[in-house]
Amino acid sequence: MSFINYSSREINCKIVYYGPGLCGKTTNLQYIYNKTNPEAKGKMISLATETERTLFFDFLPLSLGEIRGFRTRFHLYTVPGQVFYDASRKLILKGVDGVVFVGDSQVERMEANIESLDNLRTNLAEQGYDLDKLPYCVQFNKRDLPNSAPLEELTEVLNPTKVPQFEAVATKGVGVFDTLKAVAKLVLTELKRGS
Amino acid sequence: MSNQLVMYEEELQQISNICDVLQRDSNAKAVLVIDKNGQAIAHSGEVEHLDVTSLSSLTAGNVAATGGIASLLAEKEFAGQFHEGEKTNVHISIVGARVILLVLFDERSSLGLVRLRVRKAAAELTQVLEVLVKKSEAGNQPSVFAEITDDDIDNLFND
Ligand SMILES: Nc1nc2c(ncn2[C@@H]2O[C@H](COP(=O)(O)OP(=O)(O)OP(=O)(O)O)[C@@H](O)[C@H]2O)c(=O)[nH]1
Ligand SMILES: [Mg+2]
């Protein structure tokens, strides 16, 4: 749920990175955090287990600049990807303005990708959202690994609706900002459309 | 997007005033008003050393998790939470099912006093929020987005 503050002249939006366990959601945010100027970012918060798996969420507040005198601020969240954290995922999706689905390119993670994408749809629907009507992008991560599936196959299975998609190597930053910019743009365009 | 929260000068001023009065009358260190999705709306008191953005997001996460527990137990939302620290205590309450009131206080105050003052502030906040919701639903306020062009959006990303 975007929050438009006419008093402080700010537009605040919430973007959620979704995807199966270990697909690289947290790595996306870490890269963004490391490459952003100090004045444009707040602290990154990671509520994680001792083995660095996301337990509840990662949170990164970002400032993307001004539009017509309004500061645009994006709150980036990741969900915990492990299957049994479903209750937490539902909570993080509340009030979402845009979604990035991060898929794991490795062939052996295809089942996990499909399950996670189904789970995203179901959890959104439970809260009255339709994934097809939300600002939404897909990222195929871990393109550097030798066991990654061909792009055509990933597209067919994980992006049948042909939303903007990006190949990524989140550890090296490849595709990370492209993905963020695309979803941020869709969110702002949707806000404009809805006004 | 019908569930969008819009804040106007007039209501923000009223919310800030409620915040100020609560902070003063309860002898609190700081008071924050936070949207349930984790956006800070207003604050007063000693916030210079606080990371208001992080605090807001974590508090909202906490409230969401507690709300999740409540619904698993078929409880209505828990009305409030209290955390006792060595130096700072935290009082969290939900107002009008929409915003969170966070009060940080130390030995200069007490839980009893904070509870009492929060109750009064919550009643006032509820009224302001009702007006705010009506106002943004009526949608007769000029929208910033009506003026934004596709070029404006593109330009944001040309760096
Ligand atoms: N080779 C390779 N490894 C990656 C890439 N992106 C992330 N990883 C690694 O994959 C592992 C998991 O990454 P995370 O970002 O923690 O995964 P996550 O999606 O947040 O996982 P959960 O928190 O459990 O949901 C880490 O060891 C990362 O370094 C990539 O593009 N290529
Ligand atoms: Mg993670």
Side-chain angles (χ1 to χ4, degrees):
Chain A
M1 182 186 66
S2 55
F3 171 31
I4 301 168
N5 194 330
Y6 282 88
S7 185
S8 58
R9 302 188 72 77
E10 280 177 1
I11 300 165
N12 292 275
C13 308
K14 175 173 180 177
I15 293 174
V16 175
Y17 284 69
Y18 213 92
L22 296 177
C23 67
K25 302 175 291 295
T26 298
T27 310
N28 263 271
L29 260 65
Q30 280 167 342
Y31 186 84
I32 294 166
Y33 179 81
N34 289 333
K35 294 290 169 185
T36 305
N37 294 330
E39 62 275 13
K41 70 187 174 193
K43 210 154 127 197
M44 176 161 166
I45 292 177
S46 292
L47 301 180
T49 67
E50 295 193 343
T51 54
E52 304 206 350
R53 305 297 300 270
T54 301
L55 177 63
F56 193 8
F57 58 77
D58 299 299
F59 168 69
L60 173 59
L62 272 189
S63 229
L64 283 189
E66 288 200 356
I67 294 188
R68 305 252 162 165
F70 275 75
R71 276 221 305 166
T72 57
R73 308 214 304 169
F74 288 82
H75 284 186
L76 312 185
Y77 285 84
T78 73
V79 299
Q82 293 181 84
V83 175
F84 58 90
Y85 287 132
D86 199 37
S88 302
R89 275 194 294 278
K90 289 181 193 185
L91 296 176
I92 309 300
L93 280 177
K94 284 195 177 155
V96 66
D97 294 302
V99 178
V100 173
F101 180 81
V102 181
D104 190 325
S105 293
Q106 297 176 89
V107 174
E108 60 268 34
R109 295 300 285 162
M110 209 51 147
E111 276 303 313
N113 285 329
I114 294 168
E115 195 181 330
S116 175
L117 190 54
D118 279 350
N119 177 255
L120 169 61
R121 259 185 203 285
T122 310
N123 284 345
L124 282 173
E126 243 175 58
Q127 305 190 38
Y129 294 105
D130 178 351
L131 181 60
D132 297 325
K133 298 203 174 110
L134 271 181
Y136 167 52
C137 291
V138 175
Q139 180 187 82
F140 301 122
N141 190 33
K142 304 200 181 183
R143 296 307 292 157
D144 58 321
L145 294 179
N147 52 343
S148 51
L151 187 62
E152 303 73 52
E153 190 183 326
L154 288 165
T155 307
E156 194 183 315
V157 179
L158 301 176
N159 189 12
T161 54
K162 301 280 187 293
V163 298
Q165 65 177 46
F166 302 88
E167 294 185 81
V169 184
T171 35
K172 302 240 158 58
V174 178
V176 168
F177 275 98
D178 294 338
T179 311
L180 172 64
K181 284 176 183 179
V183 72
K185 213 164 140 175
L186 289 176
V187 167
L188 292 172
T189 309
E190 174 63 27
L191 281 173
K192 178 173 150 51
R193 205 189 56 84
S195 74
Chain B
M1 286 192 191
S2 55
N3 63 349
Q4 188 179 91
L5 181 65
V6 180
M7 184 63 65
Y8 302 102
E9 187 76 48
E10 190 184 352
E11 282 74 22
L12 187 66
Q13 194 55 55
Q14 291 169 353
I15 293 172
S16 296
N17 289 344
I18 295 169
C19 233
D20 289 344
V21 171
L22 173 60
Q23 190 257 325
R24 197 187 61 215
D25 290 356
S26 65
N27 282 334
K29 285 165 82 168
V31 172
L32 268 69
V33 178
I34 303 163
D35 161 60
K36 257 190 150 183
N37 291 316
Q39 317 269 9
I41 296 175
H43 53 72
S44 61
E46 308 160 19
V47 293
E48 309 79 48
H49 308 295
L50 291 177
D51 182 343
V52 170
T53 308
S54 301
L55 206 53
S56 302
S57 160
L58 284 174
T59 303
N62 182 331
V63 165
T66 312
I69 294 171
S71 68
L72 284 179
L73 302 177
E75 274 282 339
K76 237 185 114 201
E77 205 155 42
F78 296 118
Q81 294 183 45
F82 171 59
H83 302 293
E84 192 173 356
E86 271 186 9
K87 289 211 197 79
T88 306
N89 307 308
V90 181
H91 185 275
I92 299 173
S93 47
I94 301 166
V95 179
R98 183 103 210 209
V99 302
I100 301 164
L101 202 49
L102 178 75
V103 182
L104 307 180
F105 64 99
D106 58 18
E107 78 286 345
R108 288 173 290 177
S109 182
S110 68
L111 181 57
L113 179 63
V114 168
R115 280 209 176 117
L116 188 71
R117 300 304 186 201
V118 160
R119 209 171 301 149
K120 180 161 172 284
E124 294 170 1
L125 263 182
T126 305
Q127 289 186 349
V128 178
L129 291 171
E130 276 170 13
V131 173
L132 194 61
V133 168
K134 282 207 192 94
K135 212 165 162 178
S136 54
E137 276 174 1
N140 49 10
Q141 309 291 321
S143 165
V144 50
F145 287 102
E147 300 197 344
I148 287 177
T149 63
D150 291 344
D151 283 345
D152 288 333
I153 296 175
D154 280 332
N155 288 338
L156 192 60
F157 301 102
N158 290 342
D159 44 11

